[in-house]
Amino acid sequence: MDIFEKCPVLENEKLLVRLIEDQDAEDLLQVYGDKFALPFFNSDNCHGSNFYCRNMEDMANTIKYWLLEYHDYKGFVRFSVIDKKQGKIVGTIEMFNRDNCGILRLDLTRSHEETAFICEVLALVTEPFYDWFACPKIATKAAVYAVDRIAALKKMGFVQSEEPLVGEHGRAYYDYWVTGK
């Protein structure tokens, strides 16, 4: 299966995870327009972008970029995370394979940056992502102050990496947690 030809959907009783769409902008502005949620996002190696969106135009342009990266460049997949109980998008997941390691970026509203919710998301996506992105391990970032995220990662079998993730131009990035098949 080639995820860049047809993007699958993941779903359980609580969540729906699917490819991001243009019409997601209004809900996602609640995520990316919240300056207090920004410190939990992973913008490592993103050419200086922190993904803060001040208004609908910024959010629409960000989504257009993410879809261009998916459809034209096949660089990564950005999924919307839908909380079925609330009936709204509460974050995104970006995933791509880099040097045989899946890099997972999870951006959530502050109200969903909690251990149980993060565990729910990871339980739904981790196994399929190994296959969809042809990677034997997955790494994700959690800064030291992201206590709920770290608790979720530990609970889901992620281990803090001793080694930095090395990006473009040899730049080292820290605070990564890794799990494998």
Side-chain angles (χ1 to χ4, degrees):
M1 180 203 74
D2 183 351
I3 195 158
F4 292 102
E5 291 299 317
K6 182 173 183 344
C7 190
V9 173
L10 290 169
E11 185 173 11
N12 65 18
E13 311 79 47
K14 297 178 183 179
L15 299 171
L16 176 71
V17 175
R18 57 139 173 88
L19 183 64
I20 197 163
E21 300 173 355
D22 289 324
Q23 57 266 34
D24 297 348
E26 188 173 334
D27 281 355
L28 286 177
L29 187 58
Q30 301 305 306
V31 179
Y32 293 100
D34 181 355
K35 64 184 175 186
F36 297 108
L38 284 177
F40 296 95
F41 301 169
N42 176 359
S43 58
D44 288 355
N45 218 37
C46 291
H47 310 290
S49 176
N50 65 3
F51 301 110
Y52 178 65
C53 295
R54 298 164 304 196
N55 53 45
M56 282 295 288
E57 182 181 0
D58 286 353
M59 192 72 251
N61 287 334
T62 298
I63 291 171
K64 282 185 190 347
Y65 167 71
W66 289 335
L67 288 170
L68 178 74
E69 192 67 40
Y70 171 77
H71 291 294
D72 293 1
Y73 303 117
K74 300 179 182 352
F76 58 79
V77 181
R78 182 70 70 151
F79 299 89
S80 287
V81 177
I82 300 159
D83 181 326
K84 291 167 73 173
K85 183 177 178 183
Q86 290 186 358
K88 64 185 279 187
I89 299 164
V90 296
T92 68
I93 299 170
E94 179 181 295
M95 184 69 183
F96 59 95
N97 184 327
R98 183 169 178 272
D99 299 329
N100 215 26
C101 178
I103 306 297
L104 186 150
R105 301 175 198 254
L106 179 61
D107 301 340
L108 298 169
T109 61
R110 277 188 290 156
S111 61
H112 286 81
E113 184 68 34
E114 59 179 25
T115 302
F117 188 81
I118 294 167
C119 284
E120 187 80 32
V121 171
L122 292 173
L124 181 62
V125 303
T126 303
E127 282 300 317
F129 281 4
Y130 287 127
D131 294 329
W132 295 355
F133 294 92
C135 54
K137 60 185 178 176
I138 294 174
T140 191
K141 186 169 184 140
V144 294
Y145 49 80
V147 293
D148 280 304
R149 188 172 291 233
I150 290 169
L153 292 171
K154 287 179 179 178
K155 191 171 186 176
M156 298 305 295
F158 284 74
V159 177
Q160 189 169 21
S161 176
E162 300 284 325
E163 301 295 317
L165 184 79
V166 179
E168 287 182 337
H169 311 297
R171 183 166 179 192
Y173 297 100
Y174 295 90
D175 299 323
Y176 277 85
W177 292 71
V178 180
T179 192
K181 275 185 162 183

